[in-house]
Amino acid sequence: MAVSHEVVLERSDRVETIDVPGTETVLDAAERAGIALPFGCLTGACATCVGRLLAGEVHHSRPPRALKDRHLEAGYVLLCIARPRAPCRIRVGADVQSGLVENPWK
Amino acid sequence: MSDADRPTETHADHEHHAAEGPGYATPQAAIEESDPEEVAYVMGLYVGTDVDAPDFLAVVDVDPDSETYTEIVDRVEMPNRGDELHHFGWNACSSSCHVEGLERRHLVVPGQRSSRIHIVDTKERRNPEIVRVIEPEEVFEYDLSAPHTVHCIPDGQIVISMLGNADGELPGGFLELNEEFGIDGRWDPPGEIEMNYDYWYQPRHNVMVSSEWAAPETYYPGFDLEDVEAGKYGRKLHFWNWEEGYVEQTIDLGEEGQIPLEVRFLHSPEAAHGYVGAALSSNVFHFFEEGGEWHAEKVIDIESREHEGWDFPVPGLVTDLLISMDDRYLFFSNWLHGDVRMYDISDPANPRLADRIRAGGYFGDPAPVGDRELAGGPQMLQLSLDGERLYWTTSLFSSWDNQFFPEEGERGSVMLKADVDPRKGTMSLDEEFLVDFGDLPEGPARAHEIRWPDGDCTSDVWQ
């Protein structure tokens, strides 16, 4: 039996805490708790659901194809395929996605 | 319906009987027989924002005599969040003129990110409804994802360009739907192409042309120059044998043709000429058949512009283009610069700049319509069948909007309109026309592609 972990979801305007069983993704657990997070492809290709891990550890159940090495090193995680392996604190919301790639001309 | 129900021209291999199917007998008939557009269907999006609502199909009143002119009079909410509704198409167009009993009535509305495909019945034009949904898992079974361009094909079926495999990687391909909107299978033999994006077919020349964006996993998260340098973005055009479904010729457009997006043939079924906009290189290519081969030549070059305080000159980013139904004018948008251009293409190899409008973008007028501050530049275009009214929206793709015009998500998109004088070759912004997608109950929404119920300049094909 996979254990549940406490996951704190931080947004600019609020902080919410959910319990995520090891069998469930953070996105699914949040949805089940009535917390709407952005998402898109649900397969790890699009990064619409991207969050930033501030503390803890997650395991991606498929390769997180939307993230480059520099993103993974910076702590970005894909909540549609991420399952917690420890209590986590994760920055969530649409503005996390906006930080992934910069305007190359600016 | 506006069925072409009269006998018309006859030519060597295609006789127009008293046509039973949908559409118009010829492009000229579309101009002569159509009524001015009264409603527009527009993709509305909440994907990728913190607004807890699904994307929707907006019904916009574009009838100047109506009390609700320029208002969103109905919204068809999708059953799920996260779709990124993008491009969409009709179940039937003028190419289906011989298919008895077929109506141009159902919209095929794919989710670019979700790979979910919705079928919307527009029998009640101002109150359409979803009648069928193809779930992503059904699509993934054919090792395809990221549906993009929807065209009906002459026998009543529907083909959708798919930009990736089931994992959002390459290669892409094409999905075929049957008349009942079930999946028939793959239209193409897998592996004919790597990248995919838009396509257009011209049956009388037995040709289809397809363009290239990138793998979904590459473009979904945002635009990264590192990916351009790594060769992950497309620059090729593929010319297919339309009846047999394989690639006969590929043209590499080179450095000047990076990210070839929308492809449009001239509307005349006799024409073997078309155009493609290369977004990143910001050029327009003319492609044509000569001596049994297809050729592509750069005919319009948009110079990058210096932006005060920025490190590099900014390309125009030609993101959409279309051809007027009489094949006389080419219109395209420079999303980053913020202008819409109109070219006379009477001589297809030598387009002549006729007029342009500046609106939004990095260099356009920031507030051309009342006091509404724009975000984003002119993007998806649609033209009335008579060529006198050009409409556009301002959102490109949620993650790319966030990168280049972050205010688009905060303020929402607008739909604008220009009055076109085809005789003089001029355009003027209609300052009375503003559809504000920023002003909706759930929050500001993005707006993308536009279609008319009776066919339009970017969906109808003739046999």
Side-chain angles (χ1 to χ4, degrees):
Chain A
M1 278 296 287
V3 291
S4 278
H5 293 292
E6 189 173 85
V7 174
V8 182
L9 304 171
E10 295 191 8
R11 280 194 241 216
S12 44
D13 56 347
R14 62 187 183 277
V15 176
E16 287 152 316
T17 304
I18 53 174
D19 266 323
V20 185
T23 51
E24 207 168 16
T25 65
V26 175
L27 183 73
D28 280 343
E31 286 284 305
R32 203 163 43 77
I35 299 168
L37 300 179
F39 65 88
C41 72
L42 299 176
T43 72
C46 87
T48 312
C49 66
V50 71
R52 198 159 186 180
L53 192 65
L54 306 173
E57 188 191 348
V58 302
H59 171 69
H60 286 124
S61 55
R62 302 183 59 178
R65 302 179 304 290
L67 299 179
K68 296 188 163 84
D69 288 345
R70 69 172 197 264
H71 298 135
L72 292 167
E73 283 158 20
Y76 287 106
V77 292
L78 298 181
L79 303 181
C80 73
I81 52 169
R83 295 161 205 265
R85 284 197 162 163
C88 293
R89 232 164 27 88
I90 307 175
R91 177 90 188 162
V92 298
D95 57 342
V96 182
Q97 194 284 324
S98 308
L100 271 190
V101 203
E102 291 178 345
N103 182 337
W105 294 288
K106 217 163 181 167
Chain B
M1 293 305 298
S2 303
D3 290 357
D5 55 0
R6 69 185 76 170
T8 50
E9 57 170 333
T10 302
H11 56 83
D13 55 355
H14 180 82
E15 195 174 330
H16 283 279
H17 313 282
E20 303 89 358
Y24 302 94
T26 63
Q28 183 60 27
I31 297 169
E32 291 170 7
E33 294 169 11
S34 62
D35 295 318
E37 62 284 353
E38 292 180 349
V39 298
Y41 296 126
V42 185
M43 299 285 86
L45 284 81
Y46 285 117
V47 69
T49 68
D50 290 316
V51 175
D52 182 16
D55 296 350
F56 58 91
L57 171 76
V59 181
V60 177
D61 187 334
V62 290
D63 175 5
D65 295 329
S66 163
E67 278 182 14
T68 50
Y69 181 50
T70 74
E71 289 176 23
I72 297 169
V73 292
D74 190 36
R75 287 186 293 151
V76 183
E77 277 208 336
M78 296 302 117
N80 298 81
R81 292 166 56 232
D83 285 316
E84 184 116 27
L85 302 185
H86 195 62
H87 289 222
F88 62 131
W90 289 102
N91 67 309
C93 78
S94 297
S95 74
S96 322
C97 63
H98 286 185
V99 184
E100 203 168 347
L102 197 64
E103 288 180 275
R104 184 189 351 242
R105 170 169 158 181
H106 289 93
L107 282 168
V108 179
V109 183
Q112 230 295 313
R113 282 182 201 267
S114 66
S115 301
R116 187 176 289 106
I117 301 169
H118 313 83
I119 309 300
V120 176
D121 184 351
T122 66
K123 186 169 194 293
E124 301 294 329
R125 285 191 174 190
R126 284 173 179 260
N127 189 20
E129 56 173 1
I130 297 178
V131 290
R132 179 160 186 165
V133 178
I134 301 171
E135 293 297 334
E137 293 70 25
E138 299 173 61
V139 173
F140 297 155
E141 275 182 36
Y142 297 86
D143 202 20
L144 292 168
S145 69
H148 193 272
T149 299
V150 177
H151 278 296
C152 65
I153 61 175
D155 57 7
Q157 290 165 302
I158 293 149
V159 171
I160 307 175
S161 64
M162 308 292 292
L163 275 48
N165 67 13
D167 291 326
E169 297 169 344
L170 299 176
F174 294 86
L175 190 72
E176 188 167 343
L177 306 186
N178 58 35
E179 284 176 63
E180 284 76 45
F181 308 111
I183 297 179
D184 244 8
R186 270 187 93 120
W187 176 84
D188 59 319
E192 284 284 294
I193 50 170
E194 284 289 303
M195 294 176 205
N196 201 2
Y197 180 70
D198 192 30
Y199 80 99
W200 193 291
Y201 65 95
Q202 194 76 319
R204 221 174 276 186
H205 292 277
N206 188 30
V207 67
M208 176 179 104
V209 56
S210 67
S211 59
E212 297 191 334
W213 191 2
E217 62 173 354
T218 302
Y219 68 78
Y220 273 156
F223 174 73
D224 191 346
L225 267 187
E226 198 178 294
D227 292 329
V228 177
E229 283 151 21
K232 290 187 175 178
Y233 276 94
R235 53 183 226 183
K236 291 176 190 158
L237 287 186
H238 304 280
F239 293 87
W240 297 68
N241 181 313
W242 171 240
E243 282 179 14
E244 304 294 329
Y246 65 89
V247 176
E248 281 185 327
Q249 193 188 337
T250 291
I251 298 180
D252 186 337
L253 300 173
E255 288 293 315
E256 297 273 55
Q258 293 190 88
I259 318 190
L261 294 181
E262 312 306 327
V263 286
R264 318 287 186 206
F265 267 108
L266 294 189
H267 297 284
S268 163
E270 289 288 336
H273 293 270
Y275 297 89
V276 61
L280 182 60
S281 305
S282 296
N283 296 316
V284 176
F285 281 75
H286 168 224
F287 57 84
F288 55 98
E289 190 182 28
E290 201 174 271
E293 264 192 84
W294 289 92
H295 306 266
E297 288 176 358
K298 187 183 75 170
V299 288
I300 300 170
D301 193 334
I302 311 298
E303 293 286 327
S304 296
R305 292 182 63 171
E306 298 282 348
H307 190 290
E308 201 180 329
W310 287 15
D311 293 342
F312 301 100
V314 184
L317 221 80
V318 179
T319 47
D320 192 20
L321 87 171
L322 65 77
I323 295 169
S324 62
M325 198 50 88
D326 61 3
D327 289 339
R328 194 166 154 210
Y329 292 107
L330 169 76
F331 296 85
F332 66 83
S333 53
N334 278 318
W335 188 57
L336 292 180
H337 286 184
D339 60 309
V340 183
R341 297 197 185 187
M342 173 181 186
Y343 282 75
D344 171 1
I345 51 165
S346 312
D347 173 4
N350 294 290
R352 179 187 65 86
L353 179 63
D355 204 358
R356 64 191 282 195
I357 284 176
R358 291 179 177 82
Y362 292 150
F363 303 97
D365 182 342
V369 181
D371 55 2
R372 171 62 153 94
E373 266 192 83
L374 301 185
Q379 216 284 105
M380 292 312 292
L381 308 171
Q382 193 52 267
L383 184 68
S384 60
L385 291 173
D386 64 9
E388 295 185 3
R389 292 166 302 282
L390 180 74
Y391 302 78
W392 66 84
T393 56
T394 51
S395 163
L396 176 63
F397 194 60
S398 62
S399 45
W400 291 40
D401 287 355
N402 287 345
Q403 193 175 354
F404 298 114
F405 295 109
E407 308 82 20
E408 186 87 23
E410 293 157 21
R411 287 193 205 123
S413 299
V414 294
M415 179 174 167
L416 301 178
K417 165 181 170 264
D419 292 308
V420 182
D421 185 334
R423 198 170 56 80
K424 292 184 178 159
T426 57
M427 294 186 287
S428 60
L429 187 72
D430 178 352
E431 301 204 11
E432 304 300 309
F433 187 96
L434 172 74
V435 183
D436 195 345
F437 281 73
D439 187 23
L440 291 170
E442 290 85 355
R446 302 175 202 276
H448 199 68
E449 201 181 37
I450 306 166
R451 297 225 169 276
W452 317 132
D454 289 316
D456 43 59
C457 294
T458 58
S459 66
D460 262 51
V461 173
W462 276 266
Q463 279 205 71

mmCIF file of all heavy atoms in Angstrom, chain A residues 12-28:
data_model
loop_
_atom_site.group_PDB
_atom_site.id
_atom_site.type_symbol
_atom_site.label_atom_id
_atom_site.label_comp_id
_atom_site.label_asym_id
_atom_site.label_seq_id
_atom_site.Cartn_x
_atom_site.Cartn_y
_atom_site.Cartn_z
ATOM 1 N N SER A 12 -0.311 32.607 -5.701
ATOM 2 C CA SER A 12 -0.095 33.993 -5.293
ATOM 3 C C SER A 12 -1.170 34.452 -4.312
ATOM 4 O O SER A 12 -0.901 35.237 -3.415
ATOM 5 C CB SER A 12 -0.070 34.897 -6.525
ATOM 6 O OG SER A 12 -1.115 34.550 -7.402
ATOM 7 N N ASP A 13 -2.404 33.940 -4.478
ATOM 8 C CA ASP A 13 -3.490 34.459 -3.647
ATOM 9 C C ASP A 13 -3.958 33.516 -2.537
ATOM 10 O O ASP A 13 -4.775 33.900 -1.707
ATOM 11 C CB ASP A 13 -4.681 34.840 -4.542
ATOM 12 C CG ASP A 13 -5.149 33.674 -5.390
ATOM 13 O OD1 ASP A 13 -4.408 32.666 -5.475
ATOM 14 O OD2 ASP A 13 -6.246 33.753 -5.966
ATOM 15 N N ARG A 14 -3.490 32.270 -2.541
ATOM 16 C CA ARG A 14 -3.938 31.364 -1.470
ATOM 17 C C ARG A 14 -3.034 30.123 -1.365
ATOM 18 O O ARG A 14 -2.302 29.805 -2.292
ATOM 19 C CB ARG A 14 -5.392 30.938 -1.670
ATOM 20 C CG ARG A 14 -5.663 30.167 -2.935
ATOM 21 C CD ARG A 14 -7.184 29.963 -3.091
ATOM 22 N NE ARG A 14 -7.510 29.159 -4.247
ATOM 23 C CZ ARG A 14 -7.605 29.619 -5.474
ATOM 24 N NH1 ARG A 14 -7.363 30.901 -5.725
ATOM 25 N NH2 ARG A 14 -7.929 28.820 -6.483
ATOM 26 N N VAL A 15 -3.160 29.476 -0.234
ATOM 27 C CA VAL A 15 -2.412 28.241 0.012
ATOM 28 C C VAL A 15 -3.413 27.160 0.416
ATOM 29 O O VAL A 15 -4.292 27.399 1.246
ATOM 30 C CB VAL A 15 -1.377 28.446 1.155
ATOM 31 C CG1 VAL A 15 -0.679 27.131 1.476
ATOM 32 C CG2 VAL A 15 -0.371 29.513 0.767
ATOM 33 N N GLU A 16 -3.294 25.992 -0.221
ATOM 34 C CA GLU A 16 -4.209 24.902 0.110
ATOM 35 C C GLU A 16 -3.402 23.636 0.372
ATOM 36 O O GLU A 16 -2.339 23.450 -0.209
ATOM 37 C CB GLU A 16 -5.191 24.660 -1.055
ATOM 38 C CG GLU A 16 -6.242 25.755 -1.156
ATOM 39 C CD GLU A 16 -6.775 25.982 -2.560
ATOM 40 O OE1 GLU A 16 -5.979 26.020 -3.515
ATOM 41 O OE2 GLU A 16 -7.984 26.135 -2.698
ATOM 42 N N THR A 17 -3.945 22.798 1.235
ATOM 43 C CA THR A 17 -3.232 21.558 1.563
ATOM 44 C C THR A 17 -4.119 20.355 1.258
ATOM 45 O O THR A 17 -5.303 20.351 1.610
ATOM 46 C CB THR A 17 -2.849 21.548 3.065
ATOM 47 O OG1 THR A 17 -2.079 22.722 3.325
ATOM 48 C CG2 THR A 17 -2.036 20.324 3.419
ATOM 49 N N ILE A 18 -3.530 19.372 0.579
ATOM 50 C CA ILE A 18 -4.290 18.149 0.277
ATOM 51 C C ILE A 18 -3.459 16.931 0.671
ATOM 52 O O ILE A 18 -2.236 17.014 0.774
ATOM 53 C CB ILE A 18 -4.659 18.046 -1.229
ATOM 54 C CG1 ILE A 18 -3.409 18.200 -2.115
ATOM 55 C CG2 ILE A 18 -5.698 19.097 -1.597
ATOM 56 C CD1 ILE A 18 -3.668 17.962 -3.601
ATOM 57 N N ASP A 19 -4.151 15.827 0.833
ATOM 58 C CA ASP A 19 -3.473 14.549 1.031
ATOM 59 C C ASP A 19 -3.455 13.815 -0.300
ATOM 60 O O ASP A 19 -4.504 13.670 -0.938
ATOM 61 C CB ASP A 19 -4.231 13.700 2.065
ATOM 62 C CG ASP A 19 -3.650 13.913 3.452
ATOM 63 O OD1 ASP A 19 -2.425 14.063 3.543
ATOM 64 O OD2 ASP A 19 -4.439 13.957 4.408
ATOM 65 N N VAL A 20 -2.290 13.370 -0.717
ATOM 66 C CA VAL A 20 -2.201 12.679 -2.004
ATOM 67 C C VAL A 20 -1.706 11.255 -1.783
ATOM 68 O O VAL A 20 -0.557 11.048 -1.367
ATOM 69 C CB VAL A 20 -1.231 13.418 -2.962
ATOM 70 C CG1 VAL A 20 -1.248 12.756 -4.337
ATOM 71 C CG2 VAL A 20 -1.581 14.897 -3.069
ATOM 72 N N PRO A 21 -2.562 10.258 -2.036
ATOM 73 C CA PRO A 21 -2.104 8.871 -1.930
ATOM 74 C C PRO A 21 -1.026 8.612 -2.977
ATOM 75 O O PRO A 21 -1.045 9.220 -4.046
ATOM 76 C CB PRO A 21 -3.359 8.047 -2.253
ATOM 77 C CG PRO A 21 -4.508 9.007 -2.261
ATOM 78 C CD PRO A 21 -3.946 10.365 -2.506
ATOM 79 N N GLY A 22 -0.100 7.758 -2.697
ATOM 80 C CA GLY A 22 0.991 7.454 -3.625
ATOM 81 C C GLY A 22 0.512 6.903 -4.957
ATOM 82 O O GLY A 22 1.259 6.876 -5.935
ATOM 83 N N THR A 23 -0.754 6.465 -5.015
ATOM 84 C CA THR A 23 -1.307 5.899 -6.242
ATOM 85 C C THR A 23 -1.892 6.977 -7.146
ATOM 86 O O THR A 23 -2.348 6.698 -8.244
ATOM 87 C CB THR A 23 -2.449 4.924 -5.914
ATOM 88 O OG1 THR A 23 -3.364 5.609 -5.042
ATOM 89 C CG2 THR A 23 -1.935 3.677 -5.244
ATOM 90 N N GLU A 24 -1.887 8.216 -6.665
ATOM 91 C CA GLU A 24 -2.601 9.266 -7.387
ATOM 92 C C GLU A 24 -1.644 10.393 -7.791
ATOM 93 O O GLU A 24 -0.671 10.657 -7.085
ATOM 94 C CB GLU A 24 -3.697 9.832 -6.471
ATOM 95 C CG GLU A 24 -4.865 10.395 -7.230
ATOM 96 C CD GLU A 24 -6.058 10.683 -6.292
ATOM 97 O OE1 GLU A 24 -5.879 10.733 -5.067
ATOM 98 O OE2 GLU A 24 -7.149 10.871 -6.816
ATOM 99 N N THR A 25 -1.948 11.061 -8.896
ATOM 100 C CA THR A 25 -1.130 12.221 -9.262
ATOM 101 C C THR A 25 -1.598 13.421 -8.453
ATOM 102 O O THR A 25 -2.732 13.461 -7.950
ATOM 103 C CB THR A 25 -1.274 12.566 -10.751
ATOM 104 O OG1 THR A 25 -2.622 12.969 -11.010
ATOM 105 C CG2 THR A 25 -0.906 11.386 -11.643
ATOM 106 N N VAL A 26 -0.722 14.414 -8.342
ATOM 107 C CA VAL A 26 -1.080 15.630 -7.600
ATOM 108 C C VAL A 26 -2.300 16.288 -8.247
ATOM 109 O O VAL A 26 -3.204 16.764 -7.564
ATOM 110 C CB VAL A 26 0.118 16.611 -7.568
ATOM 111 C CG1 VAL A 26 -0.285 17.922 -6.900
ATOM 112 C CG2 VAL A 26 1.308 15.973 -6.852
ATOM 113 N N LEU A 27 -2.325 16.287 -9.601
ATOM 114 C CA LEU A 27 -3.443 16.927 -10.300
ATOM 115 C C LEU A 27 -4.765 16.220 -9.975
ATOM 116 O O LEU A 27 -5.771 16.873 -9.663
ATOM 117 C CB LEU A 27 -3.198 16.921 -11.815
ATOM 118 C CG LEU A 27 -4.270 17.640 -12.628
ATOM 119 C CD1 LEU A 27 -4.173 19.142 -12.458
ATOM 120 C CD2 LEU A 27 -4.170 17.275 -14.104
ATOM 121 N N ASP A 28 -4.763 14.901 -10.051
ATOM 122 C CA ASP A 28 -5.991 14.146 -9.761
ATOM 123 C C ASP A 28 -6.446 14.373 -8.323
ATOM 124 O O ASP A 28 -7.639 14.557 -8.063
ATOM 125 C CB ASP A 28 -5.757 12.638 -9.974
ATOM 126 C CG ASP A 28 -5.829 12.264 -11.457
ATOM 127 O OD1 ASP A 28 -6.362 13.073 -12.245
ATOM 128 O OD2 ASP A 28 -5.345 11.172 -11.805
#
